Amino acid sequence: MDPIQTLLSNGTGRTLLKRVGVAPPPTLRRHEPGAPLLVGPAVAAAAGAGALLKPAVAALEAAGARVLAGTDESAERLGLILFDAGDISDPAGLVSLHEFFPALLRRLAPSGRVVVLSRPHESAGDAAAVAAQRAVPGFVRALAKELRGGATANLVVVGAGAEEHLASTVCFFASARSAFVDGQVVRLGAPTVPGSAAEPAADAPLAGRVVAVTGASRGIGAAMVRAFARDGAHVVGIDVAAGASPLAELMADVGGTHVVADVTAPDAGARIAAASRAAFGRLDGIVHNAGITRDKKLVNMSKAAWDAVIAVNLEAPRRITLDLLEEGALTAGGRVVLVSSIAGIAGNLGQTNYAASKAGVIGLVEAFSAALEPQGITVNAVAPGFIETAMTKAVPFGIREAGRRLSSLRQGGLPVDVAETVGWMLDARSDAVTGNVVRVCGQGLIGA
Ligand code: NAP
């Protein structure tokens, strides 16, 4: 428990902190196997014909949600407010956002969700339509900052041909799996190689998928191993010799397999491919999670610190991805997930090496997603904000508390929050999700 949470756990501490303007952070609802998708019914409506609304509602209903019409005027607390803004074709039409949301927002339950659907603005048509669709992300990001009680708002921009491929994405943002993802904009495009359209077995969206995770022995990597195995995946965990014993224990516990390897070793990709084939016959996805920091202001930074961070965080994911492709280990329908950081978006004092490496990772997403699209291999990244791990425990107190509190959700995230987001990217149904960098940061102010 952090010092402020400790104070908040007793009456006197709470009163004291309230006096200085520190309110207790909301408790976030997180995914529990067997729990319903939503905390209450959804209300769904569209600004026009609603070409996106129909498949989105179908996906929610298939996942067990009860969906009410936009005209619903009951007092029932809502788990989700879904709005298709894709038909708004001029600035005047944006008023439908103002007309639709306010009354419903008062009914949104704690940890409720707002999901807005829109069209890519750049291909929306004339200047009025481009402006109207370009306005929607601004609206959603601002609305996310107004929500309370652990509720979130996110936007899904659906390109032509992706309408029938939005199920996993809408369900992810509607669900408790996206607990720490707030104010984000995700773009879906028509997949060149369609993935599975089949509804996954309840609570097993990754059933049968073979997924490798680097840096798997602890922190976010270990949370990924557990979450993916819980969701039905076969997991291959990779970590350095120092983490060999916890890695072996964890992988045995989840029925996976492991490779003790340094990701910077020239044969790391070949060894990951071989271990996946030997244990499970193939590899469907790789998550480049291993990462290090060697913080110092640039004037004091050694070349060794610079080189180590670039080698582990940026060069290893690039080379291992290329090696897996060359080996034929990643094929059509494959998934590559990189782990960036908000430091790679906003920069961070004392982290020129780390920020450069994590911004470079975004470059890898751009280059690989374009190059691998014809093969139906998706490439995305998560950019975690403040996540409670050994890495952030080492951050000085003041910076740590700022990182925790200065976000719309007013707390740090948990490793499982990053894991759930990566799990959605790995899902066979997420075939339209490529080239995205999704912040898992509770809409942190840093880099927003
Ligand atoms: P962590 O607790 O330090 O775990 C990272 C794991 O990667 C460790 O087990 C580490 O092994 C391993 N690793 C390091 N170098 C490796 C190498 N050369 N080959 C194979 N494995 C290696 O870190 P974390 O907080 O879980 O972070 C995971 C990822 O999220 C990193 O990429 C990090 O940059 C990113 N991230 C984290 C946060 C956060 O708030 N925690 C925020 C933004 C981004 P050792 O035991 O030897 O170190």
Side-chain angles (χ1 to χ4, degrees), residues 215 217-218 220 239-240 262-263 289 339 354 358 384-385 387 389 392:
S217 75
R218 67 171 201 217
I220 294 170
D239 214 309
V240 284
D262 187 321
V263 290
N289 165 74
V339 178
Y354 184 75
K358 294 298 186 179
I387 306 294
T389 65
T392 46

Side-chain angles (χ1 to χ4, degrees), residues 109-186:
S111 288
R113 298 281 180 263
V114 171
V115 176
V116 179
L117 308 169
S118 73
R119 290 296 198 177
H121 67 273
E122 60 278 14
S123 51
D126 61 11
V130 169
Q133 289 300 304
R134 185 60 187 85
V136 181
F139 169 79
V140 174
R141 287 195 172 106
L143 178 59
K145 292 185 176 177
E146 294 182 8
L147 299 179
R148 291 287 168 262
T152 63
N154 292 286
L155 173 66
V156 183
V157 183
V158 185
E163 296 84 355
E164 300 304 322
H165 300 265
L166 49 66
S168 66
T169 301
V170 167
C171 289
F172 170 70
F173 284 115
S175 75
R177 291 177 188 267
S178 58
F180 202 60
V181 184
D182 198 9
Q184 295 302 292
V185 177
V186 165

Side-chain angles (χ1 to χ4, degrees), residues 22-41:
V22 180
T27 303
L28 306 183
R29 177 182 186 244
R30 292 191 163 84
H31 175 70
E32 292 286 345
L37 183 77
L38 308 176
V39 285

